[in-house]
Amino acid sequence: MEDIGLALADFVSNMENVPSEISHLFSEITDLDEKFEEALTHAHQCERSLQRELKEKSNRDHQGPRELELLTQIDKDHEHAKSLCQEKSRLTQKALTIVQRHLAKLDAEIRHY
């Protein structure tokens, strides 16, 4: 039993940096989440502007430059939001890998004893 206690103490010692690593990753994820919300908010504002433009000029048979500009901006905002989600997913996977690695090490040390 004493050996398992030593293994656990060693594991805890090795885990000291994990909270700061995870905390840093979660901080980055939070920052990305805020940027994601900003991108979506901007896209929704452009969508409302586009709807107003189309409503006001419903008699026209073609799209004007303003409508095309808004559509382009909406696409850019959605692509930006998508890339932010992908980065958040990558960081989340990294955090999960860190925790899994340390848990596997603890499990191996416990089985060893």
Side-chain angles (χ1 to χ4, degrees), residues 22 24-30 32 84-98:
I22 299 297
H24 175 72
L25 289 171
F26 283 169
S27 175
E28 287 184 42
I29 291 168
T30 300
L32 290 171
L84 291 169
C85 282
Q86 290 168 339
E87 181 64 10
K88 284 173 35 179
S89 179
R90 186 188 70 77
L91 292 174
T92 302
Q93 185 61 43
K94 186 176 179 179
L96 178 61
T97 300
I98 290 169

Side-chain angles (χ1 to χ4, degrees), residues 2-18 102 105-110 112-113:
E2 191 172 313
D3 291 333
I4 292 177
L6 290 174
L8 185 58
D10 185 46
F11 175 77
V12 169
S13 175
N14 290 335
M15 289 282 298
E16 286 180 351
N17 289 333
V18 172
H102 286 283
K105 184 177 178 183
L106 175 63
D107 189 43
E109 287 181 19
I110 289 173
H112 175 58
Y113 294 104

Side-chain angles (χ1 to χ4, degrees), residues 31-43 72-88:
D31 290 343
L32 290 171
D33 200 39
E34 290 172 6
K35 291 177 183 176
F36 171 80
E37 289 299 325
E38 289 172 8
L40 282 187
T41 298
H42 190 259
T72 301
Q73 186 60 50
I74 291 166
D75 284 343
K76 285 180 183 178
D77 289 338
H78 284 141
E79 282 301 315
H80 182 59
K82 180 180 175 182
S83 71
L84 291 169
C85 282
Q86 290 168 339
E87 181 64 10
K88 284 173 35 179

Side-chain angles (χ1 to χ4, degrees), residues 19-72:
S20 63
E21 290 179 64
I22 299 297
S23 178
H24 175 72
L25 289 171
F26 283 169
S27 175
E28 287 184 42
I29 291 168
T30 300
D31 290 343
L32 290 171
D33 200 39
E34 290 172 6
K35 291 177 183 176
F36 171 80
E37 289 299 325
E38 289 172 8
L40 282 187
T41 298
H42 190 259
H44 292 148
Q45 289 171 345
C46 288
E47 289 167 0
R48 285 191 295 276
S49 294
L50 178 61
Q51 289 173 356
R52 278 193 303 273
E53 289 280 330
L54 294 174
K55 196 176 201 178
E56 290 172 3
K57 301 171 185 176
S58 61
N59 295 335
R60 291 191 314 188
D61 292 333
H62 68 283
Q63 290 180 336
R66 176 72 178 140
E67 288 89 352
L68 293 175
E69 178 185 320
L70 288 168
L71 284 171
T72 301

